Each structure stands twice: as C-alpha cells, then as structure tokens.
C-alpha cells in the first residue's frame, strides 16, 4: 500500500475545492491510503456553515465512488439532528468504513461555538482497512497523550489537521513522537491555508520523517516489516504479530 498525505489550501468555491481534491486523488496509484487535511473542502467556514454541510452530502457520494481502489480519509462539516459536527470519514472500496466526530474541540478557534461533540470519546479506536489496524486523532486531539496509549498496536495513525503556523514545531514534534512512542506509521495532513503551518508528513516507526512544505502531495510505501522489526527488538510491550 502507498501512504499519501496531502497539503492543500481551499477557496470559497466548494465545487472547485472538491474538483481539485478529486484530481489529486486520481493522480495517486491504486492501493493508496490518502489523507487530506481537516475540513479540506471548506476550512472553518462558520459564516457559511449550513451551505458547507449541504455540500458535504454531494462530496460524500463522489468520494465513495473514487474509493473503488483507494482508501480516502478527510473530515467534513456535517449537520445532523440539529447540530453540526466535524466528522472524519474513511472511504474504502466505495463504502464508508469508519466515521468519527471530533471530540476535543479547539476553543481558541471558537470551534465549540459552532460544532457539537459526541457524548464520549469511545470512537477514538482502531478500525480495519483490509488487514491493517488504523486509527485517527483529529488535530487538537493529538495533544492528549492518553489517546496515544489507547491506540498502541495500530499499524497506521492518521492525523488530519488545521494546525496554526505559530505552533509549527509543536505539530512536527508531536506527530514524530507519536510514531516513535507507538512504533507505527503516522500520516499527518495539515492545511496549506495562510494561518496554518503546513508540515504534512509521513513518519515511519523509527521516527524517520518525510516532510516538504513546498509540495501538495507526499508519499511513501508502507512496509509492515518495519513495524515488526522495531516492536520485536525494542520491546515496549506492543504486539507485533
């Protein structure tokens, strides 16, 4: 499997944003796992949130079709039962195989004023893509290390984000530490919006980082042997079978 992280910006034109994302996805090889930034199609468009949520319905249908031979992950603005949610979607083989609403909302960005959170954080857990154990932490959730312990044993942890440029070093340090601590691959996809730090990256279980702020797409070949190797020889109690 090819691991892909995107580092895209967005415009006020939602259709244009989706078309651009689709083109990037189509440029990826089959059997790729592709992660786009948090709210990649809209950003935090609070002044237009209902329109964005309506557009998400259209985006979901199109992304499902695109996932015939690829796994595609991102978060979208969703309206349900009178509330808005920042919801993670994993599309695979033309199906939605996992959803997860952001639980740790970022107060400095007024996220809690517009988005609701689920009753608990139980959805921060493993899900499967084929035989791979995958998990996600959405942006600010990365700072809560209790979730790192919960996700030990994952092959791949996804971190879609809109992380502020003033805390660039924090983001890069935390995603690298997560990969080293959990001895797994981490795919971090951050927005290229002017207020964000970019820093999209792919980190292997040894802490080796692929990062290039000048590129919209980075990729690396997934190698399960790297996970087995580090967990076997640096045994901290994480299963490697």
């Amino acid at each position: 499997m090819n691991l892909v992280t995107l580092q895209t910006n967005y415009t006020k034109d939602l259709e244009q944003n989706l078309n651009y994302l689709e083109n990037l996805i189509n440029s990826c090889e089959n059997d790729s796992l592709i992660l786009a930034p948090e709210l990649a199609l809209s950003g935090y468009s609070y002044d237009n949130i209902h329109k964005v949520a309506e557009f998400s319905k259209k985006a979901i249908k199109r992304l499902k079709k695109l996932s015939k031979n690829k796994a595609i992950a991102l978060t979208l603005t969703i309206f349900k039962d009178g509330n808005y949610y920042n919801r993670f979607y994993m599309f695979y083989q033309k199906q939605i195989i996992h959803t997860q609403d952001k639980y740790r909302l970022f107060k400095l960005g007024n996220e809690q004023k517009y988005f609701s959170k689920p009753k608990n954080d139980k959805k921060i857990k493993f899900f499967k893509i084929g035989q791979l154990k995958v998990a996600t932490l959405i942006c600010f959730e990365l700072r809560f290390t209790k979730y790192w312990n919960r996700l030990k044993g994952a092959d791949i942890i996804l971190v879609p984000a809109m992380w502020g440029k003033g805390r660039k070093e924090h983001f890069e340090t935390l995603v690298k530490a997560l990969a080293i601590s959990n001895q797994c691959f981490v795919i971090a996809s951050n927005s290229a919006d002017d207020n964000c730090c970019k820093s999209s990256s792919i980190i292997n279980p040894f802490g080796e980082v692929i990062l290039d702020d000048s590129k919209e797409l980075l990729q690396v070949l997934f190698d399960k042997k790297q996970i087995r190797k580090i967990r076997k020889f640096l045994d901290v109690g994480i299963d490697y079978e």
Side-chain angles (χ1 to χ4, degrees):
M1 175 174 279
N2 214 31
L3 306 182
V4 179
T5 182
L6 303 181
Q7 188 164 254
T8 54
N9 204 343
Y10 55 89
T11 70
K12 293 183 178 180
D13 187 330
L14 299 175
E15 182 68 32
Q16 179 180 324
N17 297 339
L18 179 56
N19 288 337
Y20 196 81
L21 178 62
E22 287 175 324
N23 288 335
L24 285 172
I25 291 169
N26 283 326
S27 75
C28 297
E29 300 175 5
N30 286 341
D31 198 29
S32 290
L33 169 53
I34 304 159
L35 178 64
E38 181 183 19
L39 300 175
L41 298 181
S42 63
Y44 286 97
S45 299
Y46 296 140
D47 58 345
N48 210 19
I49 194 168
H50 184 70
K51 180 181 178 181
V52 171
E54 282 297 307
F55 186 79
S56 292
K57 298 175 184 177
K58 180 178 183 179
I60 287 167
K61 291 179 181 179
R62 286 165 59 173
L63 292 168
K64 281 176 72 173
K65 291 180 181 179
L66 276 180
S67 70
K68 180 180 180 181
N69 298 305
K70 298 167 185 174
I72 303 166
L74 79 169
T75 81
L76 297 166
T77 297
I78 300 299
F79 184 72
K80 185 176 181 181
D81 299 329
N83 296 304
Y84 293 98
Y85 297 92
N86 184 348
R87 181 168 295 174
F88 173 88
Y89 281 84
M90 174 59 74
F91 303 95
Y92 182 59
Q93 297 182 340
K94 301 178 76 172
Q95 302 292 323
I96 298 169
I97 64 168
H98 181 72
T99 62
Q100 182 177 321
D101 292 332
K102 188 175 182 180
Y103 182 73
R104 297 289 183 176
L105 302 177
F106 188 53
K107 293 182 179 180
L108 290 180
N110 291 322
E111 200 173 354
Q112 80 287 355
K113 293 183 179 180
Y114 299 92
F115 286 110
S116 296
K117 67 177 186 178
K119 293 180 180 178
N120 56 58
D121 59 7
K122 290 182 179 179
K123 276 233 173 178
I124 300 177
K125 62 180 182 180
F126 303 125
F127 57 93
K128 286 286 192 76
I129 299 178
Q131 298 303 310
L132 295 177
K133 293 173 71 175
V134 182
T136 188
L137 295 172
I138 304 169
C139 201
F140 188 51
E141 293 172 347
L142 176 64
R143 289 188 179 272
F144 295 81
T145 54
K146 72 173 186 177
Y147 298 137
W148 298 22
N149 291 326
R150 185 186 299 182
L151 300 180
K152 286 190 184 300
D155 297 308
I156 304 167
I157 299 177
L158 309 174
V159 185
M162 282 195 72
W163 198 281
K165 61 183 179 182
R167 297 173 294 279
K168 180 179 178 69
E169 184 176 354
H170 294 194
F171 187 65
E172 293 179 4
T173 300
L174 287 167
V175 293
K176 182 176 180 179
L178 176 60
I180 294 170
S181 175
N182 285 39
Q183 298 179 327
C184 68
F185 284 85
V186 170
I187 308 176
S189 179
N190 196 41
S191 175
D193 176 78
D194 289 342
N195 295 313
C196 294
C197 70
K198 296 186 176 180
S199 297
S200 293
S201 59
I202 303 171
I203 306 103
N204 74 13
F206 291 88
E208 297 167 343
V209 180
I210 303 297
L211 185 154
D212 188 338
D213 282 351
S214 70
K215 294 183 178 180
E216 287 187 311
L217 187 153
L218 297 169
Q219 58 187 332
V220 70
L221 189 65
F222 174 79
D223 184 0
K224 184 75 178 267
K225 292 178 182 177
Q226 292 188 44
I227 296 174
R228 294 193 184 103
K229 183 176 181 180
I230 195 166
R231 291 182 184 176
K232 181 177 180 180
F233 291 103
L234 292 176
D235 185 3
V236 295
I238 304 176
D239 181 31
Y240 58 87
E241 297 300 328

